[in-house]
Amino acid sequence: MPGTMLDEEPSAPASAARPPRRALREIPPRVFEPTFSGVGLVIGAYFIALSLLPSLLPRLPAVQGIASAVSFMIGYGIGAAGHAAWNYLQIPNLRGRWVHLVSGLMLAVVGVLTGLAIWQWVGWQNEIRDLFGMSELSPTAWPIVIGVGLLTTAAILTGARALRLLFRTAYRWLDKWMPHRLAVAIGTIVLLVVLNLAFSGLLVRGFFAASNAGFSVVDTHDRPGVEETESELRSGGPGSLVSWEDLGRQGRYFISTGPSADDLDDYWGGGSLEPIRVYVGLRSADTLEDRADLLLQELIRTGAFDRQAIVLGTVTGTGYLDPNSVDTLDYLYQGDIAIAGVQYSYLPSWISVLADQEITAETSRAVFRAVYVYWSTLPEDERPELYLYGLSLGSYGVESVLSSPDILNEPIDGALMAGPTFVNPTHTELTAARDEGSTAWLPIVGEGRTVRFMAGLDSLDEPTGTWGDTRVVYLQHGSDPVGMFSPTLTWSEPDWLAGEERAPDVSPRMDWFPLVTVWQVLLDMPTAGSVPDGYGHMYSHTENLIAWVAITQPDGWTDADTDALAAYLEERAEEQESLVARLDS
């Protein structure tokens, strides 16, 4: 509304002669021009207030700065574009005292809302931190929030104005050859196509290629505390078909840190076996088929098919298998088990969830097919139990196996999928088809006869149906953005926030706002693995143990056995974390 706020271009005095319309179009907007849309600034300030509201996880100050900057620019863009459209349509503007009255009212309301949000932000964050058992955030975080926010805003605004200049330049050039409206239409279409091709072809592929190259270097370095194995029952050890160096960073960690028979005896008192751990790195063989066959040969070499159970784990993007789950299995079976995995990527899950979905499914199916064909030829009363496991993007791979026709004739014994992602098609379909009265964060499907969801230590017992022999469990948290994110958050309120019982680990202050919540949850994803076990994307020994006990149904096992082993595993994990911290210091 002219006269109330700054426009994009300063207006000329009423008495000044107006330049020709074509001359106006020939004046290019300057990228670093220090003028702004007043309406855009007001709406942007309101969006800053919304961005400060809690989301699923506690936010680091830098992350909050980015979230506020993105939200501000969304609001600024809406305000500036709306104001421009208003003037373009020649809708009458307010005049006289109404200008000052409406402008003052808007500024007062937005100012109060933004001020209250700024005042309460640290307290809101500390409420979530207290819930998660994390240390409190200090108000001294504000300089980081402001600094990162200003830099991010400047970068986005500069980029947006540079694009505007590019479009305006194209329009002026085409103006020489055709009518202006046709020049705008053709210029817009051509530039949008070119920019889309550049973004999807050059920028996205370039980002994935650069990330892959960078993380492939990281893959050659070991985590603290990793030592080369001397066990013949582990890949990379004496007699192994896989070299220690080719296992990759996460493969060497998986092989090195698993409990030995002596470790198991410390809990059980004796009689434990040395657990078998088999792993094939991305460098271990040239093709997927060769890596799958190599895994099978390693399982045969180590005598895995003579054990009580084999667990095929689909790894995360970097090749990670969560010790909170695989170590739990070693203790649960007292070492009479083999656990195996194949690396398919160097990228962390928050990148590979976008880049590696196809290779994840292909790897999971190829590995399963190679092992399953051999396993199904063994006498039914002599072959081991066969289970599937996947964390994060690994759960996506497990779903691809469960939906394949390979297991129709000889079904597996069960599967655990922890931290399912928002791209998991089966998880999405099951959640949408949940039984009436159950929630989106803890759905019940088909009365829980085959698949059950776990989002709390006692939640597996909520379904009323009889659970069959082949049991499938989704282990998830309401505060896990990897599973709760969806592009539809842009325009639609999710069921896990809308009008139904909220997950206990989700802030009661969190609310949904169009265009804002989607960025909040998206920015939660990279930090989802930096919170304590039991929240976000971190699944504890206790949660994994409860799920595995329900799936494997060990003979004579009681709730007291679960409590005792869970307490031991949590204490052991704390001791290992302290040791790693000392080694890393």
Side-chain angles (χ1 to χ4, degrees):
M1 290 171 282
T4 64
M5 305 163 194
L6 285 171
D7 295 330
E8 285 290 346
E9 304 288 346
S11 58
S15 59
R18 292 184 178 273
R21 186 170 299 179
R22 180 170 291 274
L24 284 174
R25 293 200 300 262
E26 291 174 354
I27 301 174
R30 290 165 288 183
V31 173
F32 300 103
E33 184 180 357
T35 57
F36 307 92
S37 164
V39 177
L41 290 174
V42 173
I43 304 300
Y46 175 65
F47 272 59
I48 288 178
L50 298 181
S51 75
L52 295 171
L53 292 169
S55 58
L56 290 174
L57 300 179
R59 278 188 223 124
L60 296 173
V63 174
Q64 181 61 67
I66 296 172
S68 294
V70 172
S71 298
F72 169 77
M73 286 308 303
I74 292 173
Y76 181 85
I78 292 173
H83 188 207
W86 182 284
N87 290 332
Y88 179 79
L89 296 173
Q90 298 181 345
I91 300 175
N93 290 291
L94 295 175
R95 297 184 182 278
R97 62 178 182 177
W98 287 103
V99 171
H100 303 288
L101 179 62
V102 173
S103 298
L105 181 61
M106 288 178 59
L107 289 171
V109 171
V110 172
V112 169
L113 290 176
T114 306
L116 288 174
I118 292 172
W119 177 261
Q120 298 183 83
W121 177 72
V122 171
W124 288 338
Q125 289 300 306
N126 285 334
E127 286 179 0
I128 306 177
R129 287 174 170 268
D130 290 343
L131 176 64
F132 285 23
M134 299 173 66
S135 59
E136 290 192 347
L137 189 69
S138 167
T140 56
W142 268 114
I144 300 176
V145 176
I146 295 170
V148 172
L150 289 175
L151 289 174
T152 306
T153 299
I156 297 174
L157 183 60
T158 301
R161 287 186 170 183
L163 283 176
R164 183 182 65 180
L165 177 60
L166 175 64
F167 277 80
R168 293 281 183 90
T169 302
Y171 300 158
R172 290 199 317 273
W173 185 82
L174 291 173
D175 264 350
K176 300 175 183 179
W177 312 100
M178 60 190 70
H180 178 67
R181 294 182 185 275
L182 183 60
V184 170
I186 292 178
T188 300
I189 293 172
V190 171
L191 282 177
L192 286 178
V193 170
V194 170
L195 289 173
N196 179 65
L197 292 175
F199 179 80
S200 60
L202 296 178
L203 295 180
V204 174
R205 291 180 185 177
F207 170 74
F208 289 146
S211 299
N212 195 64
F215 284 105
S216 67
V217 175
V218 175
D219 192 64
T220 63
H221 300 286
D222 284 332
R223 300 175 62 170
V226 170
E227 297 180 356
E228 186 170 351
T229 183
E230 297 179 357
S231 172
E232 296 182 355
L233 299 180
R234 302 196 178 194
S235 294
S240 175
L241 303 175
V242 183
S243 71
W244 175 255
E245 292 76 16
D246 289 344
L247 289 174
R249 175 184 174 90
Q250 299 294 1
R252 292 189 292 271
Y253 178 77
F254 166 67
I255 295 297
S256 174
T257 58
S260 64
D262 290 340
D263 293 328
L264 300 179
D265 282 341
D266 288 341
Y267 178 77
W268 289 107
S272 301
L273 298 178
E274 181 75 16
I276 294 173
R277 290 203 168 185
V278 171
Y279 195 93
V280 175
L282 199 54
R283 296 181 176 90
S284 301
D286 293 333
T287 68
L288 172 56
E289 290 72 20
D290 289 341
R291 289 191 288 273
D293 183 66
L294 186 55
L295 182 87
L296 174 61
Q297 297 308 316
E298 276 284 275
L299 288 171
I300 295 173
R301 180 191 68 82
T302 56
F305 291 95
D306 296 323
R307 294 298 175 98
Q308 184 179 348
I310 292 177
V311 176
L312 297 180
T314 301
V315 302
T316 65
T318 58
Y320 180 71
L321 285 169
D322 187 7
N324 289 2
S325 193
V326 293
D327 288 4
T328 295
L329 283 165
D330 287 335
Y331 277 90
L332 183 61
Y333 277 87
Q334 204 172 344
D336 194 10
I337 189 172
I339 305 174
V342 174
Q343 183 184 17
Y344 55 82
S345 174
Y346 300 121
L347 301 176
S349 287
W350 64 274
I351 300 177
S352 59
V353 74
L354 303 174
D356 293 329
Q357 295 177 36
E358 185 175 352
I359 189 60
T360 303
E362 290 176 354
T363 300
S364 201
R365 288 193 295 262
V367 169
F368 176 77
R369 191 178 303 113
V371 175
Y372 184 79
V373 168
Y374 181 87
W375 174 83
S376 60
T377 63
L378 302 176
E380 188 172 349
D381 57 347
E382 297 180 11
R383 64 193 183 196
E385 302 162 5
L386 184 59
Y387 298 99
L388 303 178
Y389 166 70
L391 168 69
S392 191
L393 193 57
S395 67
Y396 179 89
V398 173
E399 282 190 355
S400 71
V401 173
L402 294 176
S403 61
S404 69
D406 296 335
I407 62 174
L408 294 179
N409 294 327
E410 298 283 352
I412 60 171
D413 292 278
L416 172 59
M417 290 167 280
T421 74
F422 68 94
V423 299
N424 284 38
T426 304
H427 178 268
T428 301
E429 292 172 8
L430 291 173
T431 302
R434 63 188 181 275
D435 295 352
E436 186 177 357
S438 64
T439 62
W441 55 271
L442 185 58
I444 297 175
V445 181
E447 298 182 334
R449 290 186 171 87
T450 301
V451 180
R452 294 195 179 186
F453 292 75
M454 179 177 170
L457 301 184
D458 301 321
S459 54
L460 285 176
D461 295 329
E462 289 195 12
T464 58
T466 301
W467 208 354
D469 292 332
T470 300
R471 298 182 169 187
V472 177
V473 170
Y474 281 101
L475 173 58
Q476 60 189 33
H477 293 148
S479 58
D480 188 351
V482 176
M484 297 304 168
F485 175 80
S486 170
T488 61
L489 287 171
T490 305
W491 62 83
S492 175
E493 185 173 11
D495 289 344
W496 48 269
L497 274 180
E500 59 180 36
E501 181 185 355
R502 187 167 295 194
D505 52 336
V506 174
S507 170
R509 297 186 186 275
M510 183 178 181
D511 208 342
W512 174 81
F513 295 94
L515 304 175
V516 174
T517 303
V518 64
W519 284 103
Q520 291 179 312
V521 178
L522 181 65
L523 290 172
D524 281 336
M525 288 174 61
T527 60
S530 302
V531 295
D533 287 351
Y535 302 93
H537 206 50
M538 300 295 291
Y539 296 87
S540 67
H541 282 94
T542 300
E543 292 171 311
N544 278 280
L545 176 61
I546 291 173
W548 279 121
V549 167
I551 293 167
T552 60
Q553 308 170 73
D555 293 336
W557 192 270
T558 65
D559 290 342
D561 295 328
T562 298
D563 294 339
L565 180 53
Y568 180 84
L569 290 172
E570 298 291 357
E571 182 180 355
R572 176 177 178 268
E574 291 180 4
E575 293 174 354
Q576 288 183 324
E577 288 177 4
S578 299
L579 176 61
V580 170
R582 290 197 298 271
L583 291 172
D584 202 23
S585 62

